[in-house]
Amino acid sequence: MSPLPLRFGYGTNGLADLRLDDALALLADLGYDGVGLTLDHMHLDPLAPDAATRTRQVAHRLADLGLGVTVETGARYVLDPRRKHGPSLLDPDPDARARRVDLLVRAVRIAADLGAHAVHCFSGITPSGTDEDTAWKRLAETLTPVLDAATTEGIPLAVEPEPGHLLATLADFHRLRDALGDPGHLGLTLDIGHCQCLEPLSPVDCVRAAAPWLRHVQIEDMRRGVHEHLPFGEGEIDFPPVLAALAATGYQGLTVVELPRHSHAGPHYAELSLPFLHRAAASATADTPPVAPSPGEPSATPEGSTP
């Protein structure tokens, strides 16, 4: 039996200049299967007094447009207007750590109300002066109530290995999984670009190794040793074999384009990214040579755009 087609989405952190309703309509119109919805002040604020009402509205909008959803929690300043991604699960202050835990528990409940297939999160950077053993102990302790909420709601928690963070690699994910006793609702977010950036395995082999725990996928181009999310065609990744490996795992969650630093031209990159992925997937299925972007795409910046 042939693998089912992959389902592609686009992250709202790459459409930050659009109203959420407009962003969702754009993605549906372009033919995306879903959206990676970052909970943030400009779209769906998890801390707003009317968050429950707004969540119901978004759920109806997603249903009307036929879009699947993954809830992502990588908003830069949603908790602290001065510290990017702060406070984290590793913060030395227990009250600060509790604020991040509360955000993630809220995200799980919002995900359940939206019918999302997973909630994405990451560990955070090890604070200065914190030894590694202490950091790993904090991570396990802070994620325990989040996993309890995920289990109650039936929503997988998909932890992302993030370059520069305590949990940076697939090996680190397994360290966390072992420390927590391999809970059933703990899964993995695999970022294909991160595999190219720093994993010892190739992106194809990363997909195969991650398959049993795969609950969410993010995708973009990247170069070895440089953590910079790039439009397709600007990095080093050969995408058809990666998508073939992903399809072969039977993964049916969303594969979400993540270009947050290209949000100034988000509609442009959203329009170009999906055809690229469809061509790459078709090339993988047909076992033809790797695809290349057409002249001028997808890296061309629309005239008049300003980063």
Side-chain angles (χ1 to χ4, degrees):
M1 180 181 294
S2 299
L4 292 172
L6 295 172
R7 301 171 64 234
F8 296 116
Y10 201 93
T12 59
N13 61 0
L15 296 168
D17 295 305
L18 276 66
R19 298 178 184 87
L20 181 57
D21 286 4
D22 292 340
L24 297 179
L26 171 72
L27 297 181
D29 185 60
L30 291 174
Y32 281 91
D33 301 295
V35 59
L37 176 56
T38 296
L39 301 182
D40 208 346
H41 63 89
M42 80 290 286
H43 284 154
L44 180 55
D45 186 346
L47 304 179
D50 64 343
T53 299
R54 179 63 176 142
T55 298
R56 286 193 295 271
Q57 293 170 345
V58 174
H60 289 310
R61 184 70 166 147
L62 290 167
D64 289 344
L65 294 170
L67 293 172
V69 60
T70 301
V71 168
E72 301 189 347
T73 62
R76 293 183 177 97
Y77 296 101
V78 70
L79 287 177
D80 189 326
R82 296 176 181 269
R83 288 193 296 162
K84 180 182 176 182
H85 298 315
S88 79
L89 294 170
L90 308 177
D91 199 288
D93 181 351
D95 291 337
R97 294 197 300 273
R99 291 177 61 210
R100 177 61 60 173
V101 170
D102 175 70
L103 176 70
L104 294 179
V105 170
R106 288 171 183 256
V108 168
R109 291 170 181 159
I110 289 171
D113 290 340
L114 292 177
H117 73 80
V119 172
H120 147 279
C121 70
F122 44 58
S123 68
I125 297 169
T126 304
S128 176
T130 301
D131 66 85
E132 185 174 306
D133 286 345
T134 298
W136 279 104
K137 182 180 178 182
R138 281 181 190 161
L139 182 60
E141 289 176 348
T142 51
L143 278 181
T144 295
V146 184
L147 282 164
D148 289 344
T151 301
T152 298
E153 299 290 353
I155 301 289
L157 185 68
V159 179
E160 178 188 9
E162 180 78 22
H165 285 211
L166 174 68
L167 197 157
T169 65
L170 290 175
D172 293 333
F173 168 74
H174 290 301
R175 176 172 178 172
L176 174 66
R177 187 171 62 84
D178 291 343
L180 290 169
D182 197 16
H185 279 78
L186 177 65
L188 174 70
T189 292
L190 187 70
D191 187 304
I192 301 301
H194 295 173
C195 298
Q196 177 70 22
C197 177
L198 55 65
E199 291 284 357
L201 298 174
S202 71
V204 168
D205 288 335
C206 284
V207 168
R208 292 170 178 156
W213 301 278
L214 208 53
R215 300 296 179 267
H216 184 43
V217 175
Q218 296 172 339
I219 194 165
E220 68 286 313
D221 218 337
M222 206 168 285
R223 301 186 184 102
R224 185 69 179 171
V226 182
H227 184 205
E228 181 182 2
H229 291 233
L230 299 172
F232 299 118
E234 292 190 13
E236 302 168 340
I237 299 175
D238 182 12
F239 285 97
V242 174
L243 296 181
L246 186 58
T249 69
Y251 173 72
Q252 275 295 288
L254 291 173
T255 299
V256 171
V257 179
E258 190 183 25
L259 293 173
R261 294 190 178 182
H262 293 75
S263 193
H264 64 281
H268 171 76
Y269 289 107
E271 183 176 2
L272 294 178
S273 294
L274 187 59
F276 180 93
L277 290 169
H278 281 161
R279 292 196 304 271
S283 177
T285 302
D287 195 26
T288 57
V291 299
S294 302
E297 68 173 46
S299 58
T301 300
E303 185 177 353
S305 292
T306 302

